[in-house]
């Protein structure tokens, strides 16, 4: 196991549009760089993991195992790569992997595939085919490239140390990856299937910066005679209806409060006070502007869980109809809505069929 893993993280991330260097940006609950460090550690394939960075201070607070070594990078990518090769030369490595920190999504299986192929080859490089059509421009001429013949190289790329070192030390021009050195000097490379998910993070948009929030809602209304009963926007035949300034639909009110909770927008009373304007308003009309706001700000509902607390009517009898109604009102797939009925052992106002209560929890994701 005389393999060394070099992670290049000295880039300035000019295209990333963030004050913070890209490799230190939080992604899937850890810094981008740490995905590569952790995976190379977990693979147990490497004697040493060498991180090349121009911000050594950043690593001072980190606690990596001893086999992780942070060294100073160079001006260009190829300078940083050469720095690492010069550093590890003293350990007489057999194989070296060079990897860009901007690719945090490779799998350990890819590392294992590369190692397997290194047994019979001096250079192993993962590739994928392009999903986009590619044109090639030389001066003012544009050529169509056959997409099937165009290959995209990824990292980690792995090499016999000796061969790579000799090529790297003699390189004259800037290179974007080590495979270029082998290609420019007509050395053979074994290309293996890369991973589509092993994409390179270049722009901030490449990172899914979605955040998920939860909201809780609760409502209770008294039941009174001579009023229609609405639950989840559905009219239900019953001896009483829910008293309130509006139609008293406890389910929709709890949903509204849950949404407002998840988006941190106060409560239903803030938007629908007990004024003349909202006298006898139907609750779907209250829900609509709240949902419009969700869409406007790129929030998406993941799921909705509802507890309807009442002795009567029997929830099981109306469950599908209520879920259908909510699904239609919210434009939300009914598979994402759950409705549970709870009775209260005939206790209190609810138990004596004098009130109905509802609680709702909602999960919402915001996409930037
Ligand atoms: Zn209410």
């Amino acid at each position: 196991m005389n393999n060394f893993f070099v992670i290049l993280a000295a880039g300035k991330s000019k295209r990333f549009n963030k004050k913070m260097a890209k490799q230190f940006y939080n992604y899937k609950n850890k810094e981008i760089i740490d995905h590569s460090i952790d995976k190379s550690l977990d693979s147990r394939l490497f004697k040493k993991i060498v991180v090349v960075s121009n911000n050594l201070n950043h690593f001072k607070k980190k606690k990596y195992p001893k086999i992780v070594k942070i060294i100073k990078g160079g001006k260009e990518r190829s300078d940083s790569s050469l720095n690492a090769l010069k550093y590890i030369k003293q350990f007489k490595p057999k194989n070296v992997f060079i990897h860009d920190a901007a690719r945090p999504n490779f799998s350990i299986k890819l590392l294992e595939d590369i190692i397997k192929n290194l047994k019979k080859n001096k250079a192993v490089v993962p590739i994928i085919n392009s999903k986009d059509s590619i044109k090639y421009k030389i001066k003012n001429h544009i050529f169509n490239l056959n997409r099937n013949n165009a290959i995209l190289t990824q990292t980690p790329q792995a090499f016999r140390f000796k061969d790579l070192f000799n090529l790297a030390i003699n390189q004259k021009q800037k290179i974007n990856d080590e495979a270029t050195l082998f290609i420019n000097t007509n050395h053979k490379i074994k290309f293996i299937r890369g991973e589509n998910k092993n994409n390179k993070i270049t722009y901030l948009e490449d990172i899914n910066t979605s955040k998920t929030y939860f909201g809780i809602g609760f409502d209770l209304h008294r039941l009174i005679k001579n009023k229609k009963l609405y639950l989840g926007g559905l009219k239900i035949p019953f001896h009483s209806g829910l008293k309130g300034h509006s139609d008293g639909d406890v389910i929709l009110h709890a949903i509204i409060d849950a949404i407002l909770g998840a988006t941190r927008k106060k409560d239903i009373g803030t938007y629908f006070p007990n004024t003349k304007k909202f006298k006898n308003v139907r609750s779907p009309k209250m829900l609509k502007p709240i949902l419009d706001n969700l869409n406007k700000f790129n929030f998406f509902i993941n799921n909705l869980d509802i507890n309807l607390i009442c002795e009567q009517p029997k929830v099981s009898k109306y469950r599908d109809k209520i879920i259908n109604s909510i699904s239609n009102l919210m434009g939300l797939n009914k598979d994402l809505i759950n409705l549970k009925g709870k009775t209260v052992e005939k206790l209190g106002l609810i138990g004596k069929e004098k009130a109905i209560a509802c609680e709702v929890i909602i999960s919402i994701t915001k996409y930037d």
Side-chain angles (χ1 to χ4, degrees), residues 219-221 246 248-250 253-254 268:
D219 198 26
L220 181 147
H221 284 262
S246 63
D249 191 327
V250 282
H253 293 180
I268 191 168

Side-chain angles (χ1 to χ4, degrees), residues 90-102:
Q90 60 185 306
F91 306 107
K92 300 190 170 52
K94 184 170 184 227
N95 302 314
V96 58
F97 283 55
I98 311 278
H99 179 60
D100 290 319

Side-chain angles (χ1 to χ4, degrees), residues 6-11 23 33 50-54 56 59 69-74 79-81 83-84:
V6 171
I7 302 171
L8 300 176
Q23 51 272 24
I33 177 91
V50 179
V51 179
V52 191
S53 170
N54 280 323
L56 300 184
F59 291 92
K69 174 81 184 168
I70 318 291
I71 67 163
K72 181 115 179 64
D79 302 320
S80 294
S81 171
N83 280 7

Side-chain angles (χ1 to χ4, degrees), residues 124-334:
V124 180
V125 172
I127 53 165
I128 55 167
N129 292 108
S130 173
K131 285 173 272 186
D132 300 315
S133 300
I134 305 177
K135 312 281 179 269
Y136 198 80
K137 193 176 167 212
I138 302 174
K139 288 181 182 161
N140 285 326
H141 292 278
I142 294 195
F143 302 91
N144 286 310
L145 280 191
N146 182 342
R147 185 166 64 186
N148 297 325
N149 293 335
I151 54 174
L152 308 178
T153 57
Q154 303 187 323
T155 70
Q157 304 182 349
F159 310 90
R160 292 282 165 79
F161 176 81
K162 245 191 281 171
D163 298 276
L164 179 63
F165 187 82
N166 289 336
L167 291 174
I169 204 114
N170 292 315
Q171 80 195 27
K172 299 279 184 294
Q173 76 236 75
K174 285 184 208 170
I175 50 158
N176 288 324
D177 68 353
E178 282 60 34
T180 308
L181 287 174
F182 275 64
I183 292 167
N184 285 349
T185 51
N186 288 321
H187 283 75
K188 197 173 162 270
I189 295 177
K190 168 78 177 172
F191 291 109
I192 66 165
R193 182 122 290 279
E195 296 174 321
N196 281 321
K197 65 171 184 178
N198 182 18
N199 56 315
K200 187 170 180 180
I201 295 171
T202 306
Y203 304 99
L204 191 55
E205 303 95 275
D206 294 339
I207 295 185
N208 177 357
T209 50
S210 64
K211 281 205 177 99
T212 297
Y213 301 94
F214 296 95
I216 188 167
F218 176 81
D219 198 26
L220 181 147
H221 284 262
R222 273 178 191 275
L223 281 162
I224 50 164
K225 299 277 177 204
N226 302 320
K227 208 176 169 192
K228 288 172 188 156
L229 175 66
Y230 287 99
L231 290 171
L234 183 77
K235 196 164 105 187
I236 290 176
F238 198 53
H239 57 68
S240 305
L242 290 167
K243 189 185 172 191
H245 194 67
S246 63
D247 62 9
D249 191 327
V250 282
I251 296 182
L252 295 191
H253 293 180
I255 289 174
I256 290 171
D257 256 353
I259 294 172
L260 293 172
T263 51
R264 287 142 294 132
K265 296 259 187 276
K266 298 184 181 160
D267 57 27
I268 191 168
T270 309
Y271 300 88
F272 306 102
N274 291 341
T275 56
K276 221 170 160 189
K277 191 181 166 192
F278 298 111
K279 182 84 187 136
N280 293 325
V281 68
R282 285 290 320 280
S283 298
K285 280 202 169 151
M286 301 159 73
L287 181 62
K288 177 123 195 339
I290 303 290
L291 290 172
D292 288 346
N293 240 5
L294 270 190
N295 295 333
K296 199 166 119 192
F297 292 105
N298 237 355
F299 285 98
F300 289 85
I301 296 171
N302 299 313
N303 74 316
L304 192 61
D305 190 19
I306 305 162
N307 283 342
L308 187 61
I309 307 155
C310 58
E311 214 62 48
Q312 290 286 343
K314 281 277 163 264
V315 172
S316 54
K317 196 172 162 193
Y318 296 101
R319 177 180 287 121
D320 290 348
K321 280 184 179 167
I322 293 175
I323 288 179
N324 266 334
S325 168
I326 296 169
S327 163
N328 287 333
L329 287 173
M330 298 184 71
L332 186 65
N333 191 321
K334 56 186 179 189

